[in-house]
Amino acid sequence: MTVKEILSQLTLEEKAGLCSGEDFWHLKSIQRLGLPGVMVCDGPHGLRKQASEADHLGLKLSVPAVCFPAASATACSFDTGLLEEMGAALGQMCQAEDVSVLLGPAVNIKRSPLCGRNFEYFSEDPCLAGEMAAAHIRGVQSQNVGTSLKHFAANNQEYRRMTSSSQVDERTLREIYFPAFERAVKKAQPWTVMCSYNRINGEFASENKWLLTDVLRDEWGFEGYVMTDWGACNDRVKGLKAGLELEMPASGGVNDREIVRAVREGRLDEAVLDRAVERILNITLRYLQNHKPTVCDLDAQNQLARKVARESMVLLKNQGALPIAKEQKVAFIGAFAKTPRYQGGGSSHINATKVTGALEAAQGRFNVTYAPGYSLERETPDPALIEEAVSAAKAADVAVVFAGLPDAFESEGYDRAHMRMPQSHNALIEAVAAAQPNTVVVLYNGSPVETPWIDQVNALLEGYLGGQAVGAATVDLLFGDYSPCGKLAETFPLRLEDNPSYLNFPGVKDTVEYREGVFVGYRYYDSKKMPVRFPFGFGLSYTQFEYSALRLSADTLGPDDTLTCYLKVKNTGSRPGKEIVQLYVRDCTGAALRPDKELRAFAKVALQPGEEKEVALTLDMRAFAFYDVESHAWRAADGTYEILAGASSRDIRLSRAVTFQNPVKNPVQVHENWTVGDLLADPRTGPAAKKLLGQMMPDLDLEDEKAKEDMMLHVMLNLPLRSVRSFVAFDNDKLRELVDQMNAALKG
Ligand code: BGC
């Protein structure tokens, strides 16, 4: 049967029923029409299919599945091909377990390092988050399984997540909090989108027509269906009208009856309900018609999880202790070496098929001893464990301390209160580093931490939450089988207080104001030229790379053009490696208040020693534009922009200027409150303004450099036209005449 045929045979009650779940994870079935109730499951970095008891916080058991690294880790790979491969494996697992939609990826922007769910999110940067999400979606959906791009939108904290209102201005939404969703929708067309729990400027995401219909569908072209986050439905009928199709989980029939009543009472057009059912059925049938019995090779997936983890880890410091030579005597210290933290708590919690710690991966292959160093149960340092660890470190050539954040420190459901690691971990690192100059720290954590011991250790490898094969991947890198090749998808500030959201996170009661606006993450730190612990996009390798020959396909571009930027990258070291090249754009026009630079494209390049490759990255008008709230449109101002090619946001290696020129000028209307200076700056109104200035300051010679320092000149340049009347003989008729003349000049 086709969707239309099913729809035509459904009763009003059945249609209303299809708009909410049957239970925690299933959509409703219509037995008499042979329509089964398909299943949707978390997500995002593994399948959490609960076969019996259900919950949305990852507490009850689910079928064993491979746990891949969390998004905070995979984002650091900057590798869209890899994410697609991982997505395909996830999709295959869903086919094997008959799951129609895998809930994720989650693309909320990391506004504060404290958000408890940051480990599930990709980045502080929307371009990176959007590209990674699009790749994840393409991968999963290549297996004819849907995704649910979540949590739409402005859900950047856990505190009061179901009632809090994110107060965000439109430009900030458009430039920071929307683009990852926009990119993923436009590039990968997720089968579903999950709206968030929170309100946005007072209105619940689940009933926000502007969000769910005007922006998501009409502007971005989303074709699938929107579901709620679990329990996010507020006013069901309002939601349906706004573009919310599916309420999850079940509403116990309450909201189904609400919908029926609204149709009967004429408060809801039945066509709106039909449209929602049609959208849900389109996706359900798409899954059912392509579902095929699949067998998943879990060992192969485990190997893939290891590769993904390896490609994602970030080497943050190395004064020579890494890679460890195979014959060296190594002390693995810290309970995480044996029992790694490899995933976060909450709805994304996977029942991993097996977990490999670094100790297990290294034993039998390398000369490794082990000391736990701290208790997994306690936060306070244990002197006896530390003493034992120090002895082990002294007896070895290299000490590797495994530390980070325990489960209780970050999770879905609550935010972190600070950015510190447990005292027991910090004290251990300090004691070991004091005893062993070759001390390496490996971190397993979902979000940035303070590293007070950084100057005392020789090397630091950031492993994030690396999935079930995290230990094997760590060992691959520590002993130099591979070079680390991840880069940070977020800034590590020196202190929590440096973060731009610090004074407004997580808000007061049910209001959180996004007062930092577009200045999120490196957009803020770089604009302020603030020192940070580790910048966005930073990561070391065991080899080195040289950048050269940046050239642009044009010197000037307009709104419909694209600009291709070419540059060469060479591996100048002695080991194979991969470099992540980042392309930022800096607006030098001064037309709007903008961050110092913004990431607009990136590429990961694999290079053998001595090898050189040319990278080509393409930019379009959006790479230059800001969101103009007056015209509700993207606008790139005429003028100069810098194209910056860098190894991180703080390590710009090459730059080139390009001019943007829009042949269609914004319609502007000169009025009495335009300043003389603004009019002087525009070549069309400049001559008239210069004449006026001459009348007010007869001795002025604008060609004379010294004159520019004149206090009077500055005052006059800031003078609105209307005030000219106060300084020279100028009546209202003359003023009107001048304004008309200027407007005529602008029209050309
Ligand atoms: C989470 C979602 C998740 C859903 C179902 C909610 O608590 O916010 O991300 O998909 O539960 O488990």
Side-chain angles (χ1 to χ4, degrees):
M1 266 203 279
T2 64
V3 168
K4 290 268 186 241
E5 282 162 359
I6 299 177
L7 194 59
S8 67
Q9 295 183 45
L10 292 171
T11 64
L12 176 60
E13 286 73 11
E14 283 170 336
K15 285 191 281 192
L18 283 174
C19 292
S20 67
E22 168 71 29
D23 58 27
F24 228 79
W25 302 117
H26 292 88
L27 274 64
K28 290 207 186 74
S29 62
I30 306 283
Q31 302 286 349
R32 67 182 183 85
L33 299 178
L35 182 76
V38 293
M39 194 172 195
V40 300
C41 287
D42 286 305
H45 48 260
L47 175 66
R48 186 169 70 96
K49 180 183 175 184
Q50 292 185 311
S52 45
E53 282 183 290
D55 74 292
H56 65 305
L57 294 173
L59 303 171
K60 310 243 168 68
L61 208 62
S62 52
V63 301
V66 171
C67 176
F68 287 91
S72 55
T74 57
C76 299
S77 75
F78 282 68
D79 189 336
T80 50
L82 186 70
L83 268 255
E84 219 170 307
E85 208 183 324
M86 179 182 118
L90 294 169
Q92 227 176 55
M93 185 66 183
C94 292
Q95 279 288 357
E97 288 289 339
D98 198 6
V99 170
S100 71
V101 172
L102 187 68
L103 305 173
V107 293
N108 300 92
I109 293 295
K110 297 177 200 234
R111 175 174 177 248
S112 161
L114 297 185
C115 170
R117 235 178 150 177
N118 272 358
F119 68 87
E120 254 188 272
Y121 301 149
F122 289 111
S123 179
E124 68 188 23
D125 180 83
C127 165
L128 178 59
E131 285 297 320
M132 300 316 269
H136 176 115
I137 293 166
R138 278 196 298 271
V140 175
Q141 295 188 174
S142 70
Q143 304 303 305
N144 291 310
V145 168
T147 52
S148 196
L149 182 64
K150 66 190 187 182
H151 310 86
F152 192 47
N155 174 196
N156 309 93
Q157 64 189 51
E158 291 299 281
Y159 176 75
R160 298 176 82 99
R161 67 173 173 168
M162 298 186 79
T163 49
S164 176
S165 177
S166 303
Q167 304 294 121
V168 203
D169 64 85
E170 191 186 358
R171 180 174 163 206
T172 301
L173 282 173
R174 296 284 192 168
E175 291 187 24
I176 304 292
Y177 296 99
F178 281 0
F181 290 97
E182 179 182 3
R183 218 174 251 262
V185 167
K186 287 181 172 169
K187 287 192 146 182
Q189 197 57 253
W191 288 12
T192 81
V193 164
M194 186 190 291
C195 70
S196 56
Y197 284 127
N198 53 289
R199 292 178 289 154
I200 301 165
N201 297 323
E203 180 136 58
F204 280 104
S206 63
E207 54 197 42
N208 194 320
K209 176 176 173 293
W210 174 71
L211 187 74
L212 303 184
T213 296
D214 301 356
V215 173
L216 180 64
R217 286 187 189 277
D218 298 347
E219 287 185 33
W220 301 346
F222 174 63
E223 292 165 1
Y225 70 79
V226 176
M227 68 172 86
T228 58
D229 198 343
W230 267 230
C233 187
N234 179 53
D235 178 332
R236 185 62 187 104
V237 173
K238 189 174 174 203
L240 207 53
K241 287 183 188 168
L244 164 68
E245 280 81 34
L246 179 67
E247 175 189 4
M248 285 303 285
S251 69
V254 174
N255 278 336
D256 303 355
R257 288 192 288 279
E258 231 355 87
I259 293 172
V260 171
R261 195 174 314 131
V263 172
R264 295 234 160 91
E265 290 172 4
R267 286 182 286 119
L268 176 69
D269 185 351
E270 194 166 348
V272 172
L273 176 61
D274 287 355
R275 194 183 58 192
V277 175
E278 191 176 338
R279 285 172 178 164
I280 295 169
L281 288 178
N282 277 337
I283 297 299
T284 300
L285 289 208
R286 188 152 159 193
Y287 171 73
L288 290 171
Q289 284 160 3
N290 291 292
H291 173 54
K292 53 177 190 303
T294 305
V295 181
C296 235
D297 181 346
L298 295 179
D299 283 335
Q301 291 213 354
N302 184 57
Q303 284 310 317
L304 178 59
R306 175 180 179 169
K307 179 168 100 174
V308 176
R310 196 166 62 218
E311 297 277 323
S312 303
M313 293 184 180
V314 190
L315 182 61
L316 292 173
K317 179 175 180 182
N318 187 15
Q319 291 184 330
L322 292 178
I324 303 169
K326 303 212 170 6
E327 60 287 351
Q328 277 180 308
K329 209 173 155 207
V330 189
F332 273 11
I333 292 167
F336 278 2
K338 199 170 178 181
T339 317
R341 175 140 185 272
Y342 63 98
Q343 66 171 330
S347 59
S348 68
H349 202 269
I350 310 302
N351 179 14
T353 56
K354 62 173 173 184
V355 179
T356 312
L359 186 61
E360 185 191 328
Q363 265 168 346
R365 290 179 62 204
F366 303 106
N367 187 357
V368 175
T369 60
Y370 170 67
Y374 52 82
S375 152
L376 284 172
E377 271 74 53
R378 281 196 301 131
E379 211 192 300
T380 44
D382 181 326
L385 290 179
I386 292 182
E387 207 181 301
E388 181 199 11
V390 167
S391 308
K394 278 186 180 155
D397 301 317
V398 182
V400 184
V401 185
F402 292 80
L405 293 177
D407 275 325
F409 272 57
E410 55 182 346
S411 166
E412 178 174 347
Y414 56 91
D415 297 314
R416 288 195 291 168
H418 58 76
M419 232 174 64
R420 294 186 294 278
M421 285 168 32
Q423 279 173 31
S424 53
H425 293 215
N426 284 335
L428 176 70
I429 295 170
E430 272 162 24
V432 170
Q436 171 55 265
N438 282 328
T439 292
V440 176
V441 174
V442 173
L443 291 180
Y444 295 148
N445 49 306
S447 42
V449 289
E450 286 170 18
T451 54
W453 32 258
I454 189 67
D455 294 335
Q456 294 148 45
V457 303
N458 185 298
L460 172 60
L461 180 68
E462 173 55 75
Y464 277 102
L465 301 181
Q468 66 179 47
V470 63
T474 308
V475 168
D476 286 343
L477 297 176
L478 288 179
F479 291 90
D481 286 344
Y482 296 85
S483 251
C485 59
K487 294 201 181 194
L488 287 182
E490 62 189 321
T491 311
F492 275 44
L494 283 173
R495 322 173 297 156
L496 174 65
E497 293 83 347
D498 292 346
N499 179 262
S501 76
Y502 178 70
L503 295 175
N504 293 286
F505 184 94
V508 178
K509 281 262 178 95
D510 278 338
T511 303
V512 51
E513 305 212 22
Y514 287 40
R515 291 203 180 183
E516 67 286 356
V518 299
F519 293 91
V520 172
Y522 71 87
R523 285 170 166 75
Y524 174 78
Y525 301 119
D526 288 4
S527 302
K528 294 264 294 184
K529 296 187 171 59
M530 280 171 79
V532 296
R533 178 62 76 207
F534 300 112
F536 175 84
F538 173 72
L540 301 167
S541 163
Y542 294 154
T543 188
Q544 295 86 39
F545 303 97
E546 206 175 82
Y547 290 44
S548 67
L550 174 63
R551 60 192 175 87
L552 309 180
S553 60
D555 297 332
T556 304
L557 82 157
D560 301 322
D561 301 330
T562 55
L563 180 76
T564 308
C565 312
Y566 303 90
L567 70 139
K568 289 186 179 156
V569 191
K570 185 172 183 181
N571 181 347
T572 54
S574 53
R575 288 167 172 270
K578 292 182 182 173
E579 173 64 341
I580 296 162
V581 177
Q582 299 149 52
L583 207 64
Y584 297 86
V585 175
R586 174 180 288 148
D587 179 347
C588 306
T589 68
L593 189 62
R594 307 219 28 198
D596 173 60
K597 64 175 95 60
E598 297 184 84
L599 182 74
R600 297 308 194 196
F602 56 86
K604 193 167 191 174
V605 203
L607 294 164
Q608 291 300 316
E611 194 186 1
E612 183 173 62
K613 281 186 189 159
E614 187 167 59
V615 179
L617 293 162
T618 301
L619 305 176
D620 62 12
M621 183 276 265
R622 272 289 289 274
F624 300 87
F626 66 97
Y627 191 80
D628 181 15
V629 282
E630 275 175 36
S631 57
H632 294 282
W634 292 97
R635 185 161 86 82
D638 284 358
T640 306
Y641 294 78
E642 273 172 15
I643 308 294
L644 311 168
S648 83
S649 86
R650 292 285 171 101
D651 185 6
I652 300 303
R653 302 280 179 89
L654 304 165
S655 75
R656 280 262 174 282
V658 66
T659 305
F660 188 89
Q661 234 169 35
N662 193 337
V664 185
K665 301 292 170 214
N666 254 11
V668 282
Q669 191 74 30
V670 173
H671 49 70
E672 294 181 359
N673 271 311
W674 272 52
T675 66
V676 173
D678 285 348
L679 292 163
L680 194 67
D682 191 307
R684 295 163 297 174
T685 51
K690 200 169 170 187
K691 197 169 146 207
L692 186 66
L693 203 57
Q695 275 175 273
M696 293 188 289
M697 298 177 69
D699 298 334
L700 177 72
D701 175 6
L702 275 175
E703 306 309 317
D704 179 6
E705 279 304 307
K706 270 224 160 100
K708 293 194 175 136
E709 289 160 20
D710 189 294
M711 185 258 271
M712 189 64 179
L713 175 63
H714 285 279
V715 171
M716 290 306 172
L717 290 178
N718 287 322
L719 203 70
L721 281 182
R722 67 174 152 75
S723 301
V724 171
R725 286 173 302 198
S726 316
F727 297 91
V728 285
F730 217 72
D731 61 22
N732 285 349
D733 286 344
K734 268 194 175 162
L735 181 63
R736 268 192 295 275
E737 201 180 303
L738 183 66
V739 168
D740 289 347
Q741 188 191 335
M742 299 263 191
N743 278 321
L746 280 182
K747 278 200 192 116

